[in-house]
Amino acid sequence: MLSYLLRRLLLVIPTLFGILAINFAVIQFAPGGPVEQMIAELKGKGDTMSRLTGNGGSESSNGGEYRGARGLDPHLVADIRKMFGFDKPPLERFEKMVGDYASLDFGRSFFRDQTVLHLVLQKMPVSISIGLWSTLLIYVVSIPLGIMKAVRDGSSFDVTSSAIVLIGYAIPGFLFAIMLVVVFAGGSFVSWFPLRGLTTSGSENWSWGARALDYGWHMVLPTVALVVGGFASLTMLTKNCFLEEIRKHYVTTARAKGASETRVLYGHVFRNAMLLIVAGFPAALIGILFSSSLLVEIVFSLDGLGLLGFESAIQRDYPVMFGTLYMFTLLGLVLQIIGDFMYTLVDPRIDFGTRGG
């Protein structure tokens, strides 16, 4: 197992490099870079993206000269390009970025006047709070419900719960979040829950217990918004995995030997059925952290990593874009390795160290 872990950790390095290289290459062809935005601000011509589409064929700061710079002092334009680092060839910029990333230096934001690492650490608690609690709640609800549906397959409970699960799955998370705001956060009905942030202003002076309750109070609506759409697929996956195992010959043999249903279900079936479910845990957490939570962060005004990455892409804030991408990828790879270790916890018979991968 130790040799397998070492191979997986070594594989992280070329994977990170490849993802950064591909995205850096794509960015070179994207119009509307930071140089264009600065020039547009200086010339007072409004939104950069609108002018790019209107001018037809404007060139990017990543490649050639931007047409919107006509009329400005060429030395000023050159200073702007130098300020953002676009005075150097793309390959040289990429080599410098890789060298800086190796020492965990992600640079400074173009527009926020802060280091990327500080921004990421500042926003990370919000995304981790949403992703961790949502994922745990999804698993806590879905696994027992899926097992009950498998045991009672075809019953009225199974049919009714399936209908409820599918309705929840059909509702987009952000739409359900808006409905929660309208109903429970002062939209049109009651104001039981707060609408913004994870804490109440001034709560840093409260006692530890009061702060914990305040945090939980703020987390209710965002967590519910993510859980409702997320638990459906896991519930059905759990049910199908257990049904497949229950119908196998070793279950019939165990019952014939006099084993109780509880012993059969949790002593034999559970270990085999949970393998596929455990394998999906890293992907579920990554999905909630970096994609599903984006719109929920916007609806509930939660300033997390998802919102930071989205805003940096819109602003063409390349250091923040690549820094958040690096952190997302690194966290995803680490979670995949953790998922492999969880395999061995569920079923000790699995030993990755004896395999070639």
Side-chain angles (χ1 to χ4, degrees):
M1 190 65 184
L2 185 60
S3 61
Y4 172 78
L5 174 61
L6 182 60
R7 290 196 300 269
R8 289 295 301 269
L9 290 176
L10 291 176
L11 189 61
V12 167
I13 299 174
T15 303
L16 285 172
F17 179 84
I19 292 176
L20 286 175
I22 292 172
N23 282 274
F24 185 88
V26 171
I27 286 297
Q28 304 313 303
F29 301 99
V35 174
E36 288 90 334
Q37 296 198 31
M38 179 65 74
I39 291 173
E41 185 177 343
L42 291 175
K43 296 190 70 173
K45 298 252 179 148
D47 181 69
T48 304
M49 299 306 294
S50 299
R51 294 191 299 106
L52 281 173
T53 55
N55 286 340
S58 297
E59 295 185 50
S60 162
S61 63
N62 306 327
E65 183 68 26
Y66 176 54
R67 295 181 184 178
R70 292 174 181 174
L72 290 179
D73 185 350
H75 296 289
L76 176 60
V77 176
D79 289 340
I80 294 174
R81 292 177 64 86
K82 184 176 181 180
M83 179 178 66
F84 289 114
F86 288 108
D87 59 323
K88 300 175 182 178
L91 182 59
E92 186 177 343
R93 298 201 311 269
F94 179 71
E95 290 176 352
K96 182 180 184 304
M97 184 183 72
V98 172
D100 291 340
Y101 276 32
S103 60
L104 298 181
D105 179 9
F106 305 119
R108 296 183 66 87
S109 169
F110 286 156
F111 305 106
R112 296 174 184 260
D113 194 28
Q114 297 183 58
T115 64
V116 175
L117 184 59
H118 180 266
L119 283 171
V120 170
L121 294 178
Q122 186 181 28
K123 313 297 183 183
M124 188 173 289
V126 176
S127 294
I128 289 180
S129 294
I130 298 174
L132 183 62
W133 292 118
S134 299
T135 305
L136 289 177
L137 190 57
I138 286 172
Y139 270 73
V140 167
V141 172
S142 299
I143 292 177
L145 181 59
I147 294 174
M148 292 175 63
K149 287 173 64 63
V151 173
R152 306 181 187 181
D153 183 41
S155 66
S156 58
F157 169 80
D158 181 37
V159 175
T160 303
S161 59
S162 294
I164 296 174
V165 164
L166 292 177
I167 291 174
Y169 182 74
I171 301 176
F174 75 93
L175 185 61
F176 190 73
I178 294 174
M179 186 190 74
L180 291 176
V181 170
V182 171
V183 176
F184 297 108
S188 299
F189 296 91
V190 297
S191 300
W192 292 349
F193 298 96
L195 181 58
R196 296 178 180 275
L198 291 181
T199 57
T200 301
S201 178
S203 61
E204 59 273 7
N205 299 321
W206 298 355
S207 65
W208 182 88
R211 292 200 304 269
L213 289 175
D214 179 65
Y215 168 78
W217 183 45
H218 281 77
M219 283 297 301
V220 170
L221 294 187
T223 303
V224 170
L226 289 174
V227 167
V228 166
F231 81 100
S233 57
L234 183 60
T235 299
M236 300 309 296
L237 175 64
T238 303
K239 175 191 173 181
N240 293 332
C241 287
F242 273 80
L243 272 179
E244 182 180 356
E245 293 298 321
I246 288 173
R247 292 167 179 169
K248 289 184 176 179
H249 293 299
Y250 74 88
V251 175
T252 304
T253 303
R255 286 171 175 166
K257 291 181 177 180
S260 64
E261 286 298 315
T262 301
R263 172 64 180 169
V264 170
L265 189 62
Y266 295 101
H268 300 281
V269 174
F270 185 84
R271 182 174 62 182
N272 297 322
M274 285 295 293
L275 290 176
L276 187 58
I277 300 168
V278 168
F281 181 82
L285 182 56
I286 294 170
I288 291 176
L289 275 174
F290 308 132
S291 57
S292 302
S293 63
L294 170 59
L295 294 174
V296 173
E297 287 181 10
I298 295 174
V299 171
F300 292 102
S301 301
L302 301 174
D303 196 7
L305 283 176
L307 187 58
L308 175 66
F310 174 75
E311 290 178 345
S312 64
I314 295 298
Q315 297 174 346
R316 300 297 194 269
D317 196 345
Y318 295 146
V320 179
M321 285 176 58
F322 287 117
T324 53
L325 173 68
Y326 181 90
M327 296 301 294
F328 292 167
T329 306
L330 181 61
L331 183 58
L333 293 172
V334 171
L335 287 174
Q336 289 290 347
I337 296 175
I338 294 175
D340 288 345
F341 275 96
M342 293 177 67
Y343 266 125
T344 62
L345 292 177
V346 175
D347 191 348
R349 296 173 299 176
I350 295 178
D351 182 11
F352 289 104
T354 61
R355 299 172 181 268

